[in-house]
């Protein structure tokens, strides 16, 4: 679509999966050297091809972070895509950085409210169908098959995740085979909580290798976070309150989370009031939660949408004093402060009128809808936030490009 708009586009690939999913040979650049040599290669690349913009999915893995730093120093425009902050129904498109590197980190709620005063658009409603998880699984499996078995030309480049691809593949295969048992365990655990009649606090866990957890939080291991939460719970909550740890839906079992929770709860004498749920739908547990705690999961915004008190430990775009409690954890569990729901609605509207683009990556229809809007946003001189603040035509309105 960018080529049709008159641009020249290249793709730098770092493994055989990247090559496989760049359909047609035109514009593919294979990087087969080491991570240490990447900055010099990238600098030469932007000079050789007179590059004006770079486009990334995420901005924290080493090759991306180095490219962003060099691109900004050279005056290039940096476009970053991610899963939507209001997931699962949207995609995030920002300039310069995302999550903890997003411009949202420096925008106050007052800034957002001032920009909204210049717009009278209705808040977009979620699409009826957000995507197809089967696409996610199928394309992910194909991609990693090529990384596992056809990657001989890319052996020099260090992997950004701690676990080898083969180990991750084995973990996910094991999870796939055990899915009926996992589902049964989840149903029973959820039923015990929903019908237990006790007040409970919900902990939203994340994938340990997730970029937001690793790069934008004070923790490197999920076990560290578990210990902090359990100590606050044991110190601050009434004895009839319970604590529920909800695992991420894609948790692969690389860390023994259930055992860590069980051991720490026993050490603190609260093992009879602590529960672990293996994935599943968040709403079933969230609707009746007294409070919620997370590092910086995007699911925190579902908590705020319901007006439930929230405590976070990492950098997050929604970590604003109007929404998130600044109390010590034991005090938060004992007597939590509630979020300002009106301010959160303004924040949500600001995002939906700027960086959140409807539809998604995981269905053909979603990708087509995404292309209808996001390419014009990329070609705009202003980023989505500045466009709304300047009072110009909102970026999600299609522009007409004349060559």
């Amino acid at each position: 679509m960018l080529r049709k708009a008159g641009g020249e586009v290249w793709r730098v690939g770092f493994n055989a999966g990247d090559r496989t999913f760049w359909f047609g040979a035109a514009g593919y650049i294979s990087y087969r050297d080491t991570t240490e040599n990447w900055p010099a290669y990238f600098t030469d690349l932007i000079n050789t091809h007179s590059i004006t913009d770079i486009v990334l999915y995420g901005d924290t893995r080493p090759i991306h972070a180095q490219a962003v730093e060099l691109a900004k120093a050279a005056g290039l425009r940096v476009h970053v895509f991610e899963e939507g902050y209001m997931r699962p129904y949207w995609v995030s498109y920002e300039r310069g950085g995302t999550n903890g590197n997003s411009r949202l980190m420096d925008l106050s709620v007052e800034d957002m409210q001032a920009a909204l005063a210049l717009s009278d658009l209705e808040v977009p409603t979620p699409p009826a169908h957000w995507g197809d998880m089967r696409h996610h699984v199928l394309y992910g499996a194909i991609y990693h098959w090529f990384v596992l078995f056809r990657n001989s030309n890319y052996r020099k480049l260090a992997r950004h995740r701690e676990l080898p691809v083969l180990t991750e593949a084995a973990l996910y295969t094991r999870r796939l085979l055990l899915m009926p048992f996992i589902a049964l365990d989840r149903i029973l655990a959820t039923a015990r909580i929903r019908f237990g009649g006790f007040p409970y606090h919900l902990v939203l866990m994340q994938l340990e290798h997730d970029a937001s957890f690793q790069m934008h939080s004070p923790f490197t291991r999920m076990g560290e976070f578990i210990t902090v939460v359990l100590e606050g719970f044991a110190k601050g909550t009434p004895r009839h309150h319970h604590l529920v740890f909800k695992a991420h839906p894609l948790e692969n079992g690389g860390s023994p989370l259930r055992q860590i929770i069980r051991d720490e709860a026993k050490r603190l004498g609260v093992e009879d009031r602590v529960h672990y749920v293996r994935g599943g739908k968040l709403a079933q547990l969230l609707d009746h939660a007294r409070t919620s705690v997370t590092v910086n999961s995007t699911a925190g915004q579902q908590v705020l949408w319901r007006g439930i008190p929230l405590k976070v430990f990492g950098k997050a775009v929604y970590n604003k004093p109007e929404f998130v409690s600044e109390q010590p954890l034991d005090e938060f569990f004992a007597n939590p402060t509630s979020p300002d729901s009106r301010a959160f609605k303004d924040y949500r509207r600001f995002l939906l009128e700027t960086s959140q683009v409807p539809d998604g990556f995981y269905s053909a229809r979603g990708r087509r809808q995404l292309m209808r809007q996001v390419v014009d946003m990329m070609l705009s001189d202003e980023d989505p936030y500045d466009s709304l603040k300047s009072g110009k035509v909102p970026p999600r309105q299609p522009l007409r490009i004349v060559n």
Side-chain angles (χ1 to χ4, degrees):
M1 194 66 71
L2 287 167
R3 283 173 174 160
K4 289 180 179 179
E8 294 182 81
V9 183
W10 289 268
R11 164 71 182 271
V12 183
F14 300 91
N15 59 55
D18 289 345
R19 178 65 190 89
T20 302
F21 280 90
W22 185 254
F23 302 108
Y28 183 77
I29 298 170
S30 175
Y31 182 73
R32 303 180 182 185
D33 208 338
T34 63
T35 304
E36 290 72 24
N37 291 335
W38 165 241
Y41 184 92
F42 178 77
T43 300
D44 182 65
L45 190 69
I46 62 177
N47 292 329
T48 300
H49 294 283
S50 300
I51 299 298
T52 60
D53 301 64
I54 65 169
V55 185
L56 314 96
Y57 180 87
D59 62 350
T60 57
R61 62 185 61 180
I63 55 174
H64 286 186
Q66 291 169 340
V68 168
E69 182 180 359
L70 292 168
K72 288 181 177 180
L76 275 61
R77 184 174 291 169
V78 178
H79 309 263
V80 187
F81 288 87
E82 252 287 11
E83 298 277 10
Y85 292 136
M86 299 295 180
R87 68 184 62 169
Y89 301 107
W90 287 275
V91 163
S92 289
Y93 165 69
E94 296 182 275
R95 302 268 180 94
T98 190
N99 291 314
N101 296 324
S102 168
R103 285 189 59 197
L104 290 170
M105 299 299 298
D106 298 319
L107 285 175
S108 67
V109 174
E110 289 80 8
D111 293 332
M112 298 176 188
Q113 291 168 334
L116 288 171
L118 302 171
S119 170
D120 58 359
L121 286 180
E122 294 292 329
V123 175
T125 56
H129 182 65
W130 71 272
D132 192 336
M133 185 57 71
R134 292 172 298 179
H135 284 220
H136 193 177
V137 173
L138 174 64
Y139 294 140
I142 294 172
Y143 181 93
H144 284 95
W145 186 90
F146 278 93
V147 174
L148 274 171
F149 301 110
R150 291 289 186 271
N151 213 46
S152 58
N153 291 329
Y154 299 89
R155 296 298 185 189
K156 292 183 179 180
L157 191 67
R159 195 163 184 262
H160 69 281
R161 290 188 183 179
E162 181 179 341
L163 293 178
V165 177
L166 192 59
T167 302
E168 283 202 36
L171 289 169
Y172 279 114
T173 300
R174 179 177 179 272
R175 176 183 168 81
L176 183 64
L177 295 174
L178 293 176
M179 279 191 71
F181 304 99
I182 293 173
L184 178 60
D185 179 77
R186 179 173 63 245
I187 291 169
L188 293 175
T190 302
R192 283 193 293 270
I193 296 161
R194 293 183 64 192
F195 301 111
F198 44 75
Y200 63 87
H201 307 262
L202 184 62
V203 183
L204 305 177
M205 303 179 75
Q206 296 165 243
L207 297 176
E208 195 168 73
H209 63 255
D210 180 77
S212 290
F213 182 83
Q214 288 295 328
M215 305 301 296
H216 301 305
S217 87
F219 308 110
T220 57
R221 299 291 180 186
M222 188 57 66
E224 299 166 4
F225 171 62
I226 290 170
T227 298
V228 169
V229 172
L230 279 169
E231 288 177 347
F233 173 78
K235 184 178 178 181
T237 55
R239 293 190 176 184
H240 63 289
H241 284 213
H242 287 229
L243 185 67
V244 177
F245 286 89
K246 182 189 178 298
H248 190 280
L250 298 179
E251 176 58 52
N252 61 14
S255 293
L257 299 181
R258 171 173 273 170
Q259 189 62 50
I260 293 171
I261 292 168
R262 184 180 293 134
D263 291 345
E264 286 298 293
K266 186 175 182 179
R267 177 179 69 85
L268 296 165
V270 295
E271 66 270 23
D272 58 331
R273 297 192 286 134
V274 175
H275 310 260
Y276 177 69
V277 179
R278 302 174 75 169
K281 297 292 185 182
L282 177 59
Q284 294 182 20
L285 294 171
L286 191 55
D287 287 342
H288 303 289
R290 182 66 61 90
T291 69
S292 187
V293 179
T294 187
V295 177
N296 53 11
S297 170
T298 55
Q301 290 170 112
Q302 295 187 45
V303 178
L304 296 172
W305 180 245
R306 289 167 169 79
I308 298 172
L310 177 66
K311 176 72 176 177
V312 302
F313 286 87
K315 294 169 66 177
V317 295
Y318 58 84
N319 191 354
K320 310 290 185 187
E322 292 87 350
F323 315 144
V324 173
S325 174
E326 297 179 343
Q327 300 166 277
L329 188 56
D330 56 335
E331 183 182 325
F332 171 77
F333 278 131
N335 189 26
T337 56
S338 296
D340 183 337
S341 294
R342 289 186 178 181
F344 181 74
K345 289 178 181 178
D346 288 336
Y347 161 88
R348 183 175 184 273
R349 182 184 161 205
F350 179 82
L351 261 62
L352 294 179
E353 290 194 19
T354 53
S355 61
Q356 304 303 289
V357 189
D359 288 291
F361 302 116
Y362 305 129
S363 72
R365 183 177 67 178
R367 291 188 292 273
R368 286 195 300 269
Q369 290 295 98
L370 190 63
M371 287 301 98
R372 287 190 173 102
Q373 299 183 63
V374 80
V375 172
D376 286 330
M377 296 171 70
M378 295 173 70
L379 294 172
S380 172
D381 289 334
E382 293 185 308
D383 82 352
Y385 304 127
D386 286 336
S387 182
L388 184 64
K389 287 167 62 178
S390 68
K392 296 182 180 179
V393 177
R396 63 181 60 260
Q397 298 299 312
L399 305 176
R400 293 188 179 184
I401 301 174
V402 180
N403 292 329

